[in-house]
């Protein structure tokens, strides 16, 4: 078993890359890439969708706030009903 340093082991692995044959890209590929980059600026979200998304978010947040408030009120009333100290209206006859 050969004990090679990592540098020489890496060079052996990189020699495989030297055997790769270079290929010429099609001529229209560069033009396609440029046209996609130029058309990318046209991809805008309409203000109608932005307003709709904002409205939905506001509705969801307000619904969650209302739900939390109702839950707190319910838990308080339930707590009061369970653990409220009731006065004893008994008379002591000695």
């Amino acid at each position: 078993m050969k004990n090679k340093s990592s540098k020489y082991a890496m060079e052996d692995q990189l020699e495989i890359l030297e055997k790769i044959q270079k290929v010429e890209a099609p001529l229209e590929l560069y033009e396609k890439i440029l046209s996609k980059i130029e058309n990318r600026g046209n991809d805008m979200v309409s203000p109608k969708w932005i307003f709709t998304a904002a409205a939905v978010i506001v509705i969801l947040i307000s619904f969650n706030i209302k739900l939390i408030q109702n839950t707190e009120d319910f838990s308080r009333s339930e707590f009061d009903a369970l653990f409220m100290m009731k006065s004893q209206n008994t008379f002591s006859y000695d």
Side-chain angles (χ1 to χ4, degrees), residues 11-81:
E11 286 176 358
D12 290 343
Q13 296 294 327
L14 291 176
E15 286 178 8
I16 295 172
L17 297 177
E18 292 174 2
K19 297 177 184 175
I20 294 177
Q21 296 177 357
K22 293 184 179 184
V23 182
E24 290 295 323
L27 295 176
E28 64 266 351
L29 180 64
Y30 181 71
E31 293 172 9
K32 284 182 182 179
I33 293 172
L34 286 179
S35 67
K36 286 194 178 195
I37 291 172
E38 290 172 0
N39 291 336
R40 188 172 158 215
N42 298 337
D43 297 338
M44 297 292 292
V45 178
S46 71
K48 178 179 138 183
W49 284 106
I50 294 172
F51 178 74
T52 304
V56 167
I57 290 171
V58 168
I59 290 170
L60 287 175
I61 289 173
S62 62
F63 177 74
N64 283 331
I65 290 171
K66 188 66 175 167
L67 185 66
I68 289 170
Q69 288 175 348
N70 287 342
T71 305
E72 287 177 356
D73 292 342
F74 177 72
S75 64
R76 263 193 237 126
S77 64
E78 187 177 287
F79 179 79
D80 291 343

